Each structure stands twice: as C-alpha cells, then as structure tokens.
Amino acid sequence: MKNYFIPLFAATITIVSCKTNELYINVMEPAPVTIPSYVKSIAVIDRSATTEEAKPLDVVDKVLTLEGANLDKDGAAESIAGLKEELMRNERFTEVKTLSNIEFKTPRLAVMPQPLAWNIVEQICSENKIDALFSLEKFDTDTRIGYSNRKVEIETPLGKIPGIEHQADMETLVKTGWRIYDPKAKAILDEFIYDESVVYHGRGINPVVAAAGLIGRKEAVKEVGNKAGHGYALRLIPIYTRVYRDYYVKGSDNFKIAKRKAQMGKWDEAADYWNKELDNPKMKIAGRAAYNMAIINEINGNLDEAIGWAQKSYEDYNNKMAARYFHLLEGRRYENQVLAEQGN
C-alpha cells in the first residue's frame, strides 16, 4: 500500500543551488499513539471530579473567578462526548462505551491525578467486557477577569456628553488531561494534557453592566471541551505531512532533459534519463544519477529500493548528500513499520 503521493498540482520545484532543485512529497506519518491490534472494544470514563477535600478551594475559586454553576461538570461531559463521537468514526474499534455509572474523584485541582491502580482497571475492563480504558483524568477551568475604562461621548436627548465606558475582559483557560489504560499489557498507552483559552469582552457604563455583558461563556467552555475530546481522539489517527527533497538537475545533457521532464510532472520519464547516466565514467555524475534513482523510487513508494540506491550513491560514489538521504529514508522505513502496527 502506498502511504504517500505526489499529485501534480501539489508538487513544487524550486531552485536550491546551481546543481539541485527541490520538490516536496506528501507522506503519511504514524499517529502519536499506537493502540495494540488486540484492542477492539473500549470504554471512556470521567474521573475529573474533585473530592470533598478539594471543594473549599473549588468554591473560593468559583467566587473569585466568576465560574458558572456546574461549568466543569458540563464541560467534562462535553469532552467525553466529543471523544466518543470521534472514536466511533474510527473503524479501528468495534465498540465504544461511555461508563457514566462509575464515579471517581480526584484529590486536587488543576493537576493530573495518580494513575488508576491496575486491579481497578482490570476489574472495570472485565466487568464491561472491554479491552482498553480511555480516561478523562482532569477537567478544570480557571478564569481571570480584568477591568479597564476609556473616555467616550454618550448620546443623550440633549446631545453628546463626555462619559466613561467600562470594559470587562475575561479569559477562561480550559485544562484537560487524558490517559489510555491497557490492562493486558499493564501499560499506560498515552498521557496527554490539552489547554485552550476562551476570551470574552463586555462593555457598559459601569463595571457591573460591563460584567453583565460577559454572556455565553458556559456554552463556549462546553464547545472547547467537546473540541478537546475530538482533538484527543485524533492522536490515534496518522496524518499526512509535507517533506522536502533535493534532486540533481545538472551534470550532463540527460540531466537537463530530465529536469524539464520533472518540471512538467513527468517523473518516470525523467528517471529514464537519470538511468542512462548510471554507467557514466565520471563518478560524480554516476553518483548523482544513483541518488536521483533513490528519489524516483521514494516518489513511487518503493522505499526499500530507494534506500538501496541512496546507499549505492554514497558507498560507490562518495555522494555526501546521499548519506544524509539514506538516514532520512531509514527513518521513513521505521515509520512505515509503526504504521503497519497501527493497521495503516
């Protein structure tokens, strides 16, 4: 299966030096998180709620920072919903459950709690017939509000009069933390923290009216929470990224023709001209031709052949650029092995 491609409209060629041009290739990189192939059924839990011990601090925080009632609880629920929605789109899993009947408490705010004990993880997975457990370990909102004012002209029945406009600026930082537990391997497959802020502004003739203009924050926090859930699930999905490569365009008439072919997107025809220079008596030209054969093989998805040509270009012709390219290709081969483990 080819994990990369060069669509003609996406290929760019720029001059890097008098002897090389640059192109880019879209390649697939492994997902940040690898889930073992035996994990088919999963469940999501929420253990972000705080204990009684933390409640006094939580109450003070809510008063001082204008947090709304159930803001963290509702935001956490949206994060769970967002994660489940995205995971259910992933054909990797046969079942995605939300275990809302299990209650956990974390002893401190704004920090990741200690991981669950493995006997608890194993019990949850066994009772619910699941292979792995996704956990929202932390959900906390931290709000800061500031006031400022400026001179304005206020419209009245008698005309404009000078006045003061007050502005309230509020930023709510939404902090989430996630873990994935694998009971079979007794391994935490991932631990990830995601923060995002929501900013609101309100204006009025006095600070109270300005603060009253800060509406809709709860819905915004829920939206960010949902986004955090979706975003975390995407850590299981490979992504395409753009990588750049240099290839030789000078050395002989065949290189010049191949350059024009490549500029028109006719890479295989360009390779025919590079192939003609592999037996060139000049080592430098033959080495460049071997290097370019590595390029065309990577373009066509033949990674092992590309590695072989890069190795030949360096070992037989002492092409220094080929040595660097060889190590890049070795890295790509390792990433392909990870992709295979991820089922891609």
Side-chain angles (χ1 to χ4, degrees), residues 7 18 25 47 60 76 81 114 149 167-168 204 224 267 299 313 337:
C18 61
I25 308 173
R47 63 182 298 232
V60 172
Q114 289 295 316
N149 57 66
Q167 177 168 314
V224 171
W267 293 97
I299 288 173
S313 179
Q337 292 170 355

Side-chain angles (χ1 to χ4, degrees), residues 22 96 122 165 172 301 324 333:
E22 187 179 76
V96 181
E122 290 169 347
E165 180 184 69
T172 298
R324 295 190 296 271
R333 179 154 62 183

Side-chain angles (χ1 to χ4, degrees), residues 98-147:
T98 300
L99 304 182
S100 55
N101 60 327
I102 301 178
E103 292 188 2
F104 287 100
K105 301 288 184 179
T106 184
R108 296 180 62 194
L109 290 173
V111 296
M112 289 284 276
Q114 289 295 316
L116 289 169
W118 285 112
N119 63 315
I120 295 178
V121 174
E122 290 169 347
Q123 180 182 352
I124 294 173
C125 292
S126 175
E127 291 178 353
N128 293 278
K129 296 180 174 57
I130 56 174
D131 303 315
L133 190 64
F134 285 62
S135 176
L136 175 60
E137 305 275 293
K138 177 184 79 169
F139 189 99
D140 185 48
T141 52
D142 184 18
T143 303
R144 296 291 180 265
I145 186 167
Y147 292 97

Side-chain angles (χ1 to χ4, degrees), residues 200-219:
Y200 272 81
H201 307 284
R203 293 185 176 88
I205 59 174
N206 57 56
V208 175
V209 176
L214 301 171
I215 59 175
R217 181 171 63 98
K218 185 173 183 179
E219 290 305 312

Side-chain angles (χ1 to χ4, degrees), residues 172-184:
T172 298
L173 182 63
V174 180
K175 297 171 281 189
T176 59
W178 307 84
R179 285 192 181 107
I180 304 175
Y181 297 89
D182 177 1
K184 182 176 181 179

Side-chain angles (χ1 to χ4, degrees), residues 73-84:
K73 180 180 178 181
D74 293 345
E78 280 298 319
S79 283
I80 296 294
L83 176 68
K84 183 178 180 181

Side-chain angles (χ1 to χ4, degrees), residues 303-318:
L303 203 56
D304 289 338
E305 288 84 351
I307 290 172
W309 280 111
Q311 187 173 8
K312 179 179 178 63
S313 179
Y314 176 65
E315 292 182 354
D316 294 357
Y317 305 106
N318 195 31

Side-chain angles (χ1 to χ4, degrees), residues 4 292-303 305-306 309:
Y4 31 87
N292 280 7
M293 293 305 292
I295 290 288
I296 188 61
N297 275 281
E298 184 183 17
I299 288 173
N300 289 332
N302 305 319
L303 203 56
E305 288 84 351
W309 280 111

